[in-house]
Amino acid sequence: MGATGAARKLASAAALGGGGLSVLGAGLYGVLVAEAKIARKVIGTTSAVPPDATGWYGRGRPAPAIRIALLGDSSAAGYGVDRVEETPGAHLATGMAAQADRRVHLRSFAVVGAQSSALAQQVDAALGTHPDLAVVLIGANDVTHTVLPSASVRHLAEGVRRLREAGVEVVVGTCPDLGTIRPIPPPLKQVAREWSRRLAAAQTITVVENGGRSVSLGDVLGPEFDAAPAVLFGPDRFHPSADGYKQLAAVLVPSCLAALDLLPEDEALPEPRRREGILPVAAAAVRAARTPGTEVDGTEVAGNQRGLRGRWVELRHRRRRPSTAAESPDEHEEAPVAVPE
């Protein structure tokens, strides 16, 4: 079975409540379980709690504020860093404030060690804060805890659906390339790469089908990071370093701006020279999983959301924004800045 068919089958199995194990094969999944246990033993665990990025960003910028809920696991919480300015939440909120020229309130619900099954509780809490945008980073812990892929995707689908029904825009960072984790030796490394790419593709299909948009996070643990592990990986060689989290946020900011219709008009349409365009969702999902930083979002062709090969989507490689030094969050909202008429 090709990668496109495998991703489509895995997403369908999740939607129908099936096991989805046959997509990977019992032998492949068994090997992945074994290597996950090896990696977890080498990496170890800690009780350290990342700094909470919750608060107000964009000092001196005008209203109305953008309200962001950050959901997911340690990659969203910023495991491994000591200062709040080093967390992905602070980088994301600072970048959004700078690019949109708006105040931003970010509320972090991410929990170190969270699996996709924890999304339901996080979504419950997030909906109570009435966010404009939810950013979700989840999936890697499902791999290391031997959660069936279809179960992971099913939990994600339910979370995205509930957020969208409440009118919240959703951006999901898909499963990173686990084949570049240093504690995992070859040839098991190649198995992890194939497995994580298929899961990322299935996540993309599910996210789009439920009204969100996905962004490939292969950059988090991809070739660029593997080439500079001392700079972009943290001390445990599994989680990103402070610079790694900065890169993660840089990948997400353009798609978050797009989700809120805050990009310039000249970036509204796909650019063929940037290898952007309209594709069926399964084909786009597989391509995105292999190309870090790729965004996939639903669209229409001739007034139709679906063609013969499924849901139509736009595949985009959003332009990165200039980096901005991350702020520390304020606990209290500032008085609104007057905007000249």
Side-chain angles (χ1 to χ4, degrees), residues 19-215:
L21 182 58
S22 61
V23 176
L24 296 173
L28 178 59
Y29 187 73
V31 170
L32 186 63
V33 169
E35 70 173 273
K37 291 180 179 179
I38 294 172
R40 287 182 62 80
K41 184 176 180 180
V42 173
I43 293 165
T45 59
T46 179
S47 58
V49 178
D52 187 357
T54 295
W56 290 91
Y57 296 81
R59 297 180 183 89
R61 298 188 184 278
I66 300 169
R67 296 182 180 272
I68 302 175
L70 182 58
L71 288 67
D73 54 25
S74 54
S75 63
Y79 175 91
V81 299
D82 299 319
R83 300 169 57 243
V84 67
E85 297 89 348
E86 297 173 327
T87 62
H91 284 295
L92 176 66
T94 299
M96 290 291 291
Q99 296 302 319
D101 193 24
R102 298 261 293 276
R103 288 176 298 145
V104 170
H105 184 266
L106 180 132
R107 181 74 181 271
S108 178
F109 299 95
V111 177
V112 173
Q115 301 172 36
S116 295
S117 58
L119 271 181
Q121 184 175 359
Q122 293 184 22
V123 169
D124 287 341
L127 288 175
T129 67
H130 307 289
D132 302 301
L133 171 70
V135 178
V136 183
L137 307 175
I138 201 81
N141 288 319
D142 293 43
V143 177
T144 59
H145 287 80
T146 68
V147 177
L148 286 178
S150 58
S152 301
V153 175
R154 187 163 59 252
H155 290 305
L156 178 60
E158 178 66 10
V160 174
R161 181 188 62 78
R162 291 179 57 206
L163 288 164
R164 292 297 295 126
E165 286 180 349
V168 181
E169 298 295 336
V170 180
V171 173
V172 175
T174 58
C175 183
D177 184 353
L178 299 179
T180 56
I181 297 175
R182 286 299 177 95
I184 299 180
L188 301 182
K189 188 182 297 290
Q190 286 71 33
V191 177
R193 171 166 287 118
E194 178 65 20
W195 190 93
S196 56
R197 283 180 175 176
R198 289 192 180 187
L199 177 57
Q203 286 178 322
T204 291
I205 295 171
T206 297
V207 167
V208 172
E209 291 285 4
N210 285 277
R213 70 182 67 204
S214 69
V215 181

Side-chain angles (χ1 to χ4, degrees), residues 273-294:
R273 64 184 179 84
R274 295 174 59 84
R275 300 182 65 190
E276 299 179 341
I278 296 175
L279 294 170
V281 63
V286 170
R287 184 180 298 184
R290 294 173 177 171
T291 309
T294 304

